Amino acid sequence: MRHEWAILLPYIVLTGWSVIVIAVGLMGERIRSDQLGYLAAFGLLVGAATQIIAPHRILWNGLLLGDSYSTIFNTIFMIVGAVVCWASASWKGSAPYEPEFYGLIMLATVGLMLMAAAGSLLILFIGIELSTISLFALVSITKRDRKSAEAGLKLFVLGAVASAVFLYGASLIYGAAGTTEYWRLLLLSQSPKMVQTTLLFIGFCFVVGALSFKLAAAPFHLWAPDVYQGAPTIVSAFISTVSKAGAFAALIRIILLASAANWHGLLMVIIALAAISMVVGNLVALAQTSLKRLLAYSGVAQVGYILTAVAVGGSRDSISSAIVYLLLYSFTNAGAFLVCGAMQETTDSETIESLRGLHRRSAPLAFAMLILLLSLGGIPPLAGFVGKIFLFEAAYTGGLWRLVLLGAIMSVVALYYYLSVVLQMYIRDPDDDRRVVVAPSLGGAIALCTVITVLIGAFPAPWIKAGNHAASSARKTFEFEVMASHRIQSNRVADISYKLDRQ
Amino acid sequence: MSFLNQNILTWIVLSPFIAALLLIITPPNRGALIRWIALLGAGLTLPLSILVAILYNRQQGGFQFQRDVPWINSLGIQYHVGVDGISVVLVLLTAIIITAGVFASWRVQNRTKEFLALLLFLVSGVFGVFVSLDLFFFFLFYEIAVLPMYLLIGIWGTGRKEYSAMKLTLYLLFGSAFILVGILSLYFVSPQHTFDLLTLQRSGRFSYAFQRIIFLAFYIGFGILAGIWPLHTWSPDGHASAPTAVSMLHAGVLMKLGAYGILRVGVGLLPGGAHTWAFLMGAIATINILYGAFSAMGQTDFKYVVAYSSVSHMGVVMLGIASLNPVGVNGAVMQMFSHGIMTGLFFAVVGLVYEKSHTRDILKMGGFAKRMPGVAVAMTIGGLASFGLPATSGFIAEFMVFWGMWHTFPVLAALSVIGIVLTAVYVLRILQKIFLGPFTEQYHDLADAQKTEWVAITALAALLILVGVMPSPLVNLIRLGLHGFHLNI
């Protein structure tokens, strides 16, 4: 039992630290708001460190899966969270709620981590709720701003519906199988006693639908542009990256389960989601005038690319490519939103037009945005290129060549709108020649995201290796659980975790 | 020596790239320094590629100067470079054009540093494509070579530059979507799951049905860049809007990437597919030749004439490839070299004329030979090479292409030969309208080329004649590269 604490350490550290941040914030005048930001970022990094050294075990009879898969996702969440906290250290918009702002970001991260590690629909639900409820508040943290309040309300209403759908699906699954734990569901699917497959399928469709809401995969994406636009840009950077990654982490576990249990219907649903997301995201993005809405729709399209690989099912390459892409996407897209935030500070506008002649107003900012956008567009030698090829390679090997062709053609459409932002920045002349001044911490965060984007593109091998390792571990986790339960036919946790440790 | 052998190609790819990085950190107000860094980065490739051409072992043949470094093991991707006779010629062409291009952009004043950095970045992608023996890197370099064009045309272009830049980029990237799917198919179907071109060529016995479909994907994908009709419309717009050095590089070298891709990947790996579609390729190439020539005849903008002539001449290249026999393909590669030099010369002349007269409208010019005799001579040499007069490189190339084609599809060969007459018509027309006839007095301050401006046009014009008089070194070199292909004898 002593391992329980070790596995839970990152969760405990973050939850505790968020309370500390809020408590320190109560000191009022004596603590500056940027110090709070650094404190929160430091806490997230400490959490990431504990996550990396935490042992790999299955907890509580398969409710919480502490494997390399959840480790890599949790680390991504915490590091991107730290980048967001660092970037917002100089941001004055959240006053007077700074302590709550940082505390909520940390709690949302805990929720996402639970989603990645969930081995049961119940834990998954707790994770979804913890992160979504924190996000409601974060989106409307600048509550005097009508748009922000409106965005918060929208996310709340639609999020509540998504939660209800999730719970309904979970109840159907429980009704059909009598359990919500993945490994038991897998066992049941292999036994002849399982008869309620239709009910189970419908239940999982609801669950996948609710997760698609969090992914902002079309046709469940309608909230995303409004919320990203209304929310403070730094919060949009968080929602559009790690929140999606969290939903993917949970979705991939379910897809692993579905492909191990031979529920091919569910894979068809993912294929449909991928195709619709790529088409809708890319085509609607063409018509946007707001940079944040453009990034929102481009995000929908990016989800479509990742789903293309996920739709293959349980192959190692498909999971691994999704992990690698989520990693690079998180940094790249967060960087793009942060640039947008930096522009908003100066010009008080978030239209694409407001970037006119940016290269003259701030050459480094324009260059960073150029790199980030080209990476999103999949141009070599940047991270997005390798990531996308890896995704498409996995999907092609999985037999989904039509989806790959659609994705490749849609990527060309995407370049049109990425390039029209580049057009504004580099080709058009600025309206006014005032320099854009970026606060050091925000600028540092943007630079970090840009450098990581370039680095992953130039040296993809170690990241792909880590992705492969995590993907194999997620597959093994299921196998070990099932194998162990076949042998011992009991709920003794120790045996299962012992096995897992020796893999 | 073995160190040199293994790394010389990498240095050719890296030298412009490093210069581009240096340019990024150079302060923008150091104009002279910026130009010299760019010239060094571009110019260094010239001695290196001449060295490659000299050191290439003609007894041994095949791919030489190979370097093979694993990059992503789990996907079977490696950095694998090497050159055969065909690539040596094209690397040489690229080095010549980029060096001339830097000279031609010596007077770019607006944001010089970014301009030269992008140009060098682009050209290291071009070198990369020509030396890559791994399809993943081939594709990576291909994309690097295509994208900077957007900014180069969009920022430094003239006329409808934003439209042209976007059109060009989207057309070419649409093509690369097909190439990507084609490459992934090869990877997936090959028994070893590899991107390695040589392994695929050696062991890839692809089924006939597979070859037929995938060849078509490569043909469309690369063909867009090679300017095949009816997917060529990006090219006149793009070339006409681009600044001089970019037009030189794009028409001179980049369009060859497309033809090279069809030859290396399409014909090289999927010979069955190539034989199936040979007639279609030949027919489209014939349309290219005639349509391009007719369009060039109808233009009044000097730069559009040259741009359409590229469409027509790329048709000759594609015709040679479609013949699928050693003489025709040899002629195709010769034509790539010859047209690269020739069109580089043309665009350099257009740039000079425009810079000094501030017009590109042929109807408003006249008698320019009186004030710029040197430029007129260069243009005349280029024009003669363009319609394949003996003793110019164009003659050798076109002769071999039509000879090769005659053995495969005589009807198409006969039709395409008409293109030479049409070429003569439009070339002589611009020579007459612009350089001959009575001098138009409104251009009284017109002057001949000066100092650095001479470098590009003299060198390129001299090369056209040199290769025309002494073609055998290049022809023999190319012939060594043809052994890997399954061609008709």
Side-chain angles (χ1 to χ4, degrees), chain A residues 108-385:
Chain A
T109 311
V110 176
L112 295 170
M113 287 158 60
L114 280 176
M115 289 172 72
S120 132
L121 293 174
L122 213 61
I123 299 284
L124 178 55
F125 183 69
I126 294 174
I128 291 180
E129 286 303 280
L130 184 52
S131 63
T132 315
I133 293 176
S134 309
L135 288 177
F136 295 153
L138 279 172
V139 166
S140 42
I141 197 114
T142 51
K143 62 175 187 179
R144 305 263 173 247
D145 180 6
R146 283 181 59 143
K147 270 191 170 169
S148 170
E150 184 192 322
L153 193 64
K154 250 178 207 160
L155 184 61
F156 173 70
V157 172
L158 292 172
V161 173
S163 298
V165 169
F166 182 91
L167 280 181
Y168 187 60
S171 74
L172 289 182
I173 293 167
Y174 189 77
T179 181
T180 58
E181 282 144 50
Y182 298 162
W183 68 276
R184 285 178 198 274
L185 285 167
L186 185 56
L187 266 185
L188 271 171
S189 77
Q190 291 161 350
S191 80
K193 281 184 287 181
M194 190 65 213
V195 282
Q196 302 281 14
T197 45
T198 318
L199 200 57
L200 209 56
F201 174 67
I202 296 172
F204 270 109
C205 281
F206 278 116
V207 168
V208 168
L211 283 175
S212 308
F213 169 82
K214 218 161 156 53
L215 288 178
F220 303 99
H221 67 288
L222 293 166
W223 59 278
D226 292 346
V227 169
Y228 293 179
Q229 191 183 21
T233 310
I234 282 169
V235 178
S236 307
F238 188 81
I239 303 181
S240 68
T241 56
V242 282
S243 173
K244 276 186 192 186
F248 261 114
L251 183 69
I252 290 172
R253 290 237 199 240
I254 289 174
I255 293 302
L256 260 176
L257 169 65
S259 64
N262 282 322
W263 299 331
H264 292 299
L266 213 52
L267 295 180
M268 296 306 291
V269 172
I270 304 290
I271 290 175
L273 282 174
I276 300 172
S277 298
M278 287 192 290
V279 172
V280 170
N282 280 318
L283 293 185
V284 181
L286 292 175
Q288 301 307 314
T289 53
S290 151
L291 184 57
K292 282 163 89 176
R293 292 184 81 87
L294 179 114
L295 287 174
Y297 282 108
S298 104
V300 172
Q302 303 278 348
V303 167
Y305 304 140
I306 303 173
L307 283 174
T308 305
V310 171
V312 169
S315 89
R316 188 199 70 177
D317 274 6
S318 72
I319 304 173
S320 167
S321 63
I323 294 173
V324 173
Y325 201 85
L326 281 167
L327 166 76
L328 67 93
Y329 168 78
S330 295
F331 284 103
T332 311
N333 212 44
F337 265 107
L338 292 180
V339 172
C340 182
M343 285 308 292
Q344 239 177 329
E345 300 257 297
T346 317
T347 58
D348 204 29
S349 151
E350 35 101 18
T351 58
I352 302 173
E353 287 263 296
S354 71
L355 292 175
R356 278 182 82 124
L358 183 61
H359 78 97
R360 267 202 233 159
R361 305 181 63 184
S362 169
L365 198 61
F367 189 65
M369 190 62 166
L370 177 72
I371 299 271
L372 296 167
L373 287 175
L374 292 185
S375 172
L376 284 176
I379 297 298
L382 303 168
F385 173 76

Side-chain angles (χ1 to χ4, degrees), chain B residues 369-445:
Chain B
K370 290 196 177 69
R371 293 298 173 91
M372 33 173 47
V375 175
V377 170
M379 183 67 197
T380 311
I381 294 174
L384 297 182
S386 181
F387 56 82
L389 201 78
T392 61
S393 62
F395 171 71
I396 314 293
E398 294 189 0
F399 184 74
M400 280 164 65
V401 166
F402 291 129
W403 185 344
M405 199 58 188
W406 185 259
H407 289 287
T408 318
F409 303 117
V411 180
L412 294 180
L415 280 173
S416 323
V417 172
I418 302 172
I420 296 188
V421 183
L422 299 177
T423 308
V425 172
Y426 70 76
V427 167
L428 294 178
R429 175 172 160 263
I430 48 172
L431 282 178
Q432 178 214 346
K433 292 261 187 211
I434 297 175
F435 292 103
L436 306 177
F439 184 66
T440 321
E441 279 310 319
Q442 72 184 97
Y443 303 111
H444 49 82
D445 51 354

